[in-house]
Amino acid sequence: MKEAGLGIGGRYEPIECRSRHKVAIVVPYRDRKDHLTVFLHYLHPFLQRQQLNYVIIIVEQSAGTPFNRGMLMNIGFNEAQLQETFECFIFHDVDFLPEDDSNPYTCPEDGRPRQMSFSIDYWDNYKPTPRSHFGGVTALSTADFRRINGYSNSFWGWGGEDDQLFQRVKFNNLTVVRSFDEQPLLVHKARYKTQSHQKAQPNPDRKQVLAEGNVRFQIDGLFDLKYQRLNLQFKPLYTHLLVNIQPGPIKS
Ligand code: UDP
Ligand code: MN
């Protein structure tokens, strides 16, 4: 990777040109070591072939509390901004692998967040997911992510945070686009292969939290984000954040 020009902390900048896009890839993470190894070794060369200026940030949640994917994304966004300026963010599950080099990991335009993983191996053999599906791999401009106040921090355990993000995007009149929307014959280039794992038990409260979310857009998210940074390390293949987060009382 050093020979390939990869900088410390999993950063890259093409040598032969200046990239128009500076992208932070944020990956929520806990206990998926095998997936992470494959992800990093696969994604770095993939992103470099696209001549992007990027960094991979792994945000790991410490043990003891139910996993909170949305909150880890918010933390990744926050911490990346503390380091430097990025035009956009790609929020990326560790088990998703883009199959085709021409699946663009460039920045989406302002006002047009991109749902990237809508054609997935396990989802009816790559049949496009419903338009409201906003999980897996999702790209937003930095301005848009700020505008929508990030993800909700209120989803502990599996499910709901991606639906809530979709609601926020709609609420703010942003338009969700999908790669190759205008070139349907090329849509197979947006395919994702996934690494298999045991299905998590859905959080039984997720629907209720989702229903209440509409009144909390403004206050639940980047605005009230609280966490304890246990460690920040610039590793050869990624920037590693380890954080402690705790459920607080739900505000209304
Ligand atoms: N994740 C993780 N450890 C966990 C749960 C989730 O690292 O214990 C991260 C990981 O990036 C994963 C993403 O959160 O890809 C979404 O969780 P999961 O894969 O369980 O969701 P599903 O595939 O069932 O939608
Ligand atoms: Mn998964």
Side-chain angles (χ1 to χ4, degrees):
M1 284 297 174
K2 248 190 212 139
E3 277 170 29
L6 198 66
I8 195 86
R11 274 159 204 283
Y12 181 76
E13 197 175 343
I15 310 153
E16 62 278 11
C17 64
R18 184 185 293 268
S19 176
R20 273 182 286 136
H21 303 270
K22 195 163 166 194
V23 189
I25 316 271
V26 175
V27 182
Y29 178 77
R30 183 163 74 185
D31 287 340
R32 297 263 177 110
K33 197 161 184 306
D34 294 349
H35 285 185
L36 182 60
T37 303
V38 171
F39 177 81
L40 292 166
H41 286 84
Y42 186 83
L43 212 67
H44 275 300
F46 172 90
L47 295 168
Q48 290 174 15
R49 287 194 294 270
Q50 292 197 8
Q51 298 189 304
L52 296 166
N53 183 338
Y54 71 87
V55 63
I56 297 183
I57 303 172
I58 306 295
V59 190
E60 179 176 3
Q61 181 175 342
S62 61
T65 44
F67 198 72
N68 188 327
R69 181 174 174 272
M71 204 163 177
L72 296 177
M73 302 302 201
N74 287 341
I75 294 170
F77 177 84
N78 206 38
E79 292 280 334
Q81 298 291 315
L82 296 178
Q83 308 276 331
E84 56 193 292
T85 310
F86 293 93
E87 274 93 51
C88 72
F89 283 75
I90 299 184
F91 301 99
H92 209 304
D93 281 0
V94 74
D95 48 11
F96 276 69
L97 304 170
E99 288 187 19
D100 196 294
D101 269 358
S102 43
N103 180 351
Y105 271 55
T106 48
C107 283
E109 288 169 48
D110 266 341
R112 295 168 69 79
R114 191 197 297 135
Q115 169 55 350
M116 298 173 61
S117 58
F118 57 89
S119 180
I120 312 169
D121 54 358
Y122 70 67
W123 186 276
D124 212 355
N125 195 25
Y126 300 103
K127 189 173 159 224
T129 56
R131 281 266 159 188
S132 59
H133 169 237
F134 212 45
V137 186
T138 312
L140 287 99
S141 75
T142 302
D144 282 347
F145 196 68
R146 256 206 206 101
R147 190 169 300 136
I148 67 170
N149 192 22
Y151 280 84
S152 165
N153 298 315
S154 306
F155 291 89
W156 297 88
W158 186 93
E161 83 296 336
D162 49 349
D163 299 327
Q164 168 70 196
L165 191 74
F166 186 73
Q167 288 188 0
R168 288 173 181 227
V169 161
K170 291 271 146 205
F171 179 79
N172 285 277
N173 292 320
L174 309 181
T175 306
V176 175
V177 299
R178 293 179 165 197
S179 312
F180 309 107
D181 258 345
E182 269 129 50
Q183 300 148 287
L185 290 176
L186 300 183
V187 76
H188 58 278
K189 292 179 181 289
R191 288 181 173 187
Y192 280 83
K193 198 166 281 303
T194 54
Q195 306 192 63
S196 62
H197 58 81
Q198 270 196 335
K199 185 107 190 76
Q201 283 293 333
N203 163 18
D205 301 332
R206 72 190 187 288
K207 289 193 177 135
Q208 200 198 327
V209 183
L210 190 59
E212 291 166 1
N214 292 333
V215 294
R216 293 212 308 272
F217 284 156
Q218 321 285 345
I219 48 166
D220 168 18
L222 293 173
F223 178 77
D224 72 335
L225 181 63
K226 286 191 191 64
Y227 60 97
Q228 185 189 9
R229 196 172 81 183
L230 300 176
N231 201 5
L232 167 64
Q233 251 187 309
F234 298 100
K235 299 196 172 181
L237 297 188
Y238 59 99
T239 297
H240 184 209
L241 273 159
L242 178 65
V243 295
N244 172 29
I245 52 177
Q246 297 291 333
I250 290 183
K251 299 180 206 87
S252 59

